[in-house]
Amino acid sequence: MRKEACRCSSLTPGRDSARFFLLGILIALYMLAGAAIFSFLERPFELQAHRLWTSRLKTFSEEHNISHAEIKSILYHYEEARTAGIRAQQGRALWDFPGAFYFVGTVVSTIGFGVSAPSTVTGKILLVFYGLLGCSATILFFNLFLERVITFLSVSLMWCCRGKSHHSSLQDRNHEDDENNWKPSILQVTLVLLVAVLLVACCAALVYSVMEGWSYMESLYFCFVAFSTVGFGDFVSGQREQHEETRGYQVANCLLMLLGVCCTYSLFNAISVIIRQGLDWLLKCLDVMYHWIQHANTSWVMVQKTMGFRVSKGY
């Protein structure tokens, strides 16, 4: 019986591997589609910016009688100085205690805006070990945050169910006992987290729009980039010179970042569970199709054998 079970062709024994490879293929296709879309949208602007920069560089070189090599040398030194916080527009200090605290926050939360980075060899080596422990602890914190959210939803829904069935008869006690072990569905958790992310992002965008001088859409864009820990660095909060004296805004910025990253990370986890369920459903469909094709092929072979037998018998 075991040998026959092993010979049975099915996707079930290799479901984990099948899910892994299927997800890899889907992610690759998703990335190819994204690359095509963003290339179509952003490539013309990139070429236009290159042409404009070349024109400005040529004009500046001719007006001030400076060679291109000298200009590029100055720009190269400026790019090196950016690591230490040197900007064309004066900003706040990067490596005082509040600036360093902001830096380590972007490290352990894996945001990594890229505004500041260690310049010393000792700092770079320390960052490797500091980030290893800090990122691991922060991911654990995010997971515990998600567990608290699920627990909160479970308790809230349990009390709601108890309130509705408060005047029910004694025969419903077993039903109430089952509610003690009731857990919210993944769709309910995802919906609650989505609403939480939207509320935090909209409120934070309003704060950033006022304090940073960004438009509201730019602030929303920054919130998604920061809360999802993508951290491009094209928009970074709390870096203006006047923010060095606004301690209240610095504290609010850190709290908004923490809350936003926690909610968004939890939302990503919930969505990943839904994607996993979708992959399982897709694998089941493929498994059914495979067995149907195999059965149809077997039936066709049997029909061919039967027809061949009849023809040979007629001869």
Side-chain angles (χ1 to χ4, degrees):
M1 296 295 292
R2 291 182 180 178
K3 292 182 179 180
E4 293 179 358
C6 293
R7 290 177 182 175
C8 180
S9 57
S10 176
L11 295 177
T12 303
R15 185 168 294 275
D16 290 337
S17 298
R19 186 191 300 116
F20 173 78
F21 289 112
L22 179 60
L23 181 60
I25 293 172
L26 293 177
I27 290 176
L29 294 175
Y30 189 76
M31 292 175 64
L32 290 173
I37 294 173
F38 283 107
S39 177
F40 174 78
L41 293 175
E42 301 295 334
R43 181 60 176 170
F45 179 78
E46 180 188 16
L47 295 176
Q48 182 181 358
H50 277 281
R51 288 192 296 267
L52 181 60
W53 171 249
T54 303
S55 176
R56 288 177 175 177
L57 188 64
K58 182 180 179 181
T59 303
F60 184 85
S61 176
E62 293 175 351
E63 289 180 352
H64 297 83
N65 196 21
I66 302 175
S67 65
H68 287 192
E70 292 175 330
I71 296 177
K72 290 182 178 180
S73 177
I74 294 174
L75 293 175
Y76 177 77
H77 290 303
Y78 173 71
E79 289 178 354
E80 287 184 335
R82 283 180 61 88
T83 306
I86 306 300
R87 298 290 187 273
Q89 182 180 2
Q90 183 63 33
R92 53 163 296 173
L94 295 181
W95 292 109
D96 58 351
F97 185 79
F101 185 81
Y102 188 85
F103 166 74
V104 297
T106 60
V107 171
V108 299
S109 63
T110 68
I111 296 177
F113 287 122
V115 175
S116 56
S119 301
T120 62
V121 177
T122 305
K124 293 177 180 179
I125 296 175
L126 176 62
L127 178 63
V128 174
F129 297 99
Y130 183 87
L132 181 64
L133 180 61
C135 293
S136 302
T138 306
I139 291 175
L140 175 61
F141 178 81
F142 293 158
N143 290 329
L144 294 177
F145 176 83
L146 178 57
E147 291 179 5
R148 298 302 180 276
V149 171
I150 296 175
T151 302
F152 172 76
L153 292 177
S154 300
V155 173
S156 300
L157 292 173
M158 181 184 69
W159 280 104
C160 290
C161 293
R162 283 185 175 182
K164 292 180 180 179
S165 59
H166 180 70
H167 301 289
S168 61
S169 59
L170 295 177
Q171 62 182 3
D172 294 334
R173 288 182 178 178
N174 293 332
H175 180 66
E176 293 181 356
D177 292 337
D178 292 337
E179 290 173 356
N180 294 330
N181 298 324
W182 193 89
K183 296 293 182 182
S185 67
I186 188 60
L187 293 178
Q188 292 172 323
V189 173
T190 303
L191 180 60
V192 171
L193 289 173
L194 179 60
V195 172
V197 169
L198 291 176
L199 286 176
V200 174
C202 290
C203 294
L206 183 61
V207 174
Y208 292 133
S209 179
V210 173
M211 297 300 297
E212 300 291 344
W214 302 332
S215 67
Y216 191 74
M217 289 303 299
E218 289 175 339
S219 300
L220 281 176
Y221 164 79
F222 165 75
C223 288
F224 173 77
V225 170
F227 295 167
S228 62
T229 70
V230 175
F232 290 126
D234 50 349
F235 289 90
V236 183
S237 60
Q239 300 302 308
R240 298 179 182 271
E241 187 176 9
Q242 63 268 24
H243 294 157
E244 199 164 2
E245 304 300 329
T246 55
R247 301 298 182 186
Y249 174 63
Q250 294 180 26
V251 174
N253 185 29
C254 292
L255 292 177
L256 288 172
M257 287 286 182
L258 177 63
L259 182 59
V261 172
C262 284
C263 293
T264 307
Y265 178 86
S266 301
L267 178 62
F268 286 167
N269 269 347
I271 294 176
S272 68
V273 174
I274 295 177
I275 294 175
R276 184 188 182 96
Q277 293 177 350
L279 291 174
D280 289 338
W281 175 83
L282 184 58
L283 287 174
K284 288 181 180 179
C285 292
L286 293 175
D287 196 13
V288 171
M289 291 177 60
Y290 174 78
H291 281 89
W292 182 83
I293 293 174
Q294 189 180 36
H295 177 72
N297 187 37
T298 303
S299 300
W300 175 246
V301 171
M302 293 297 296
V303 169
Q304 286 183 328
K305 288 183 177 179
T306 303
M307 295 297 296
F309 175 76
R310 290 179 177 178
V311 170
S312 62
K313 188 175 181 181
Y315 280 112

